Amino acid sequence: MLKKLLFVFLFFFCSVSYSQIGGKYTYQFLNLITSPRQAALGGKTITIYDDDVNQAHFNPATINADMDNHLALNYGSYFKEVTYGTASYAYTYDRHLQTFQAGVNYVNYGNFDGYDENGQATSSFSGSEIALSLGYSYNIPNTDIHIGANAKLISSNLESYSSLGGAIDIGALFIDERNDVNWGLVIRNIGTQFTTYSGTNEKLPLEIIAGVSQELENVPIRWHLTLENLQQWNIAFSNPVRAENSIDGNTDEEKISFVNNALRHVIFGAELFPKKAFNLRVGYNFRRAEELKILEQRNFSGVSLGFGLKLNKLKFNYSYSRYTLAGNTSLFGLTINFQE
């Protein structure tokens, strides 16, 4: 019954939206992949249910008592100029109230040289954004269904403009212990601006994500399948570089097929030895691969790799994500278990 309800819910949201994503919303930094484990698996994985306190950022329903007294710190450089990082901590007050999680997510865009309309140099300026979050989850009694929510306070400063906003994430997770399958659904960034940059209220990057993962019975692998941007169907655009010139001199835009557009919603990842002290991870983001691929040249855009290594109370995570020949990203993370 639950699977049928999820299908109807997702079908409704996918059917009513046909616009492209990107360039339409404010606070886009909220969708940055914030942990090395997430990045290595392709991003936006919402079905991991273990002691990884980073998971609360993309699905608050994954908050659980195994995260108690865990602190995670992550740092990355986005194409060298932009730096961003996160911190996440979980605490179990008691077994009846379940577990609370607090986090911070920031991005620093660096310094820019300012010029006026005549090309004359003015003063330099910078930009940064930060979000503070508080999350909570609840296991519905006598069921394998977990629900959770994040509340976020968002602050943005870009040159002389600033904005303050708020948002919530709502998530659900169904754990099928018999088959070791997890099903997840999240609605992220439901919110508004409290104060605007210049008097115009802008929308937040609302997103609906669904996912499923399973640990294989006789092989130490857990695979993850994520469907992103389910709030709108058409997320593809015609790349002008791939346009074709016809005999009559007209230019025919690239045609995006149904299958091509459908695959751009898909992210696939796999984790080898998911419950051991050393893990290997690989992921593939179909939308990133399609949007950043180069004609007649293989550049492996969309591929991501990573590993995790646990040493007593510490766990170190690293990921490498392929974007273009000129720009790729690495994420570093450290998780400290104060319980042990």
Side-chain angles (χ1 to χ4, degrees), residues 231-253:
Q231 76 283 357
Q232 52 191 70
W233 166 248
N234 183 16
I235 61 174
F237 62 90
S238 298
N239 191 329
V241 178
R242 302 172 197 161
E244 298 181 356
N245 296 320
S246 59
I247 299 176
D248 57 6
N250 295 324
T251 300
D252 297 327
E253 292 185 351

Side-chain angles (χ1 to χ4, degrees), residues 114-129:
Y115 295 88
D116 61 20
E117 63 274 15
N118 298 315
Q120 300 297 317
T122 58
S123 59
S124 62
F125 61 92
S126 62
S128 63
E129 297 179 290

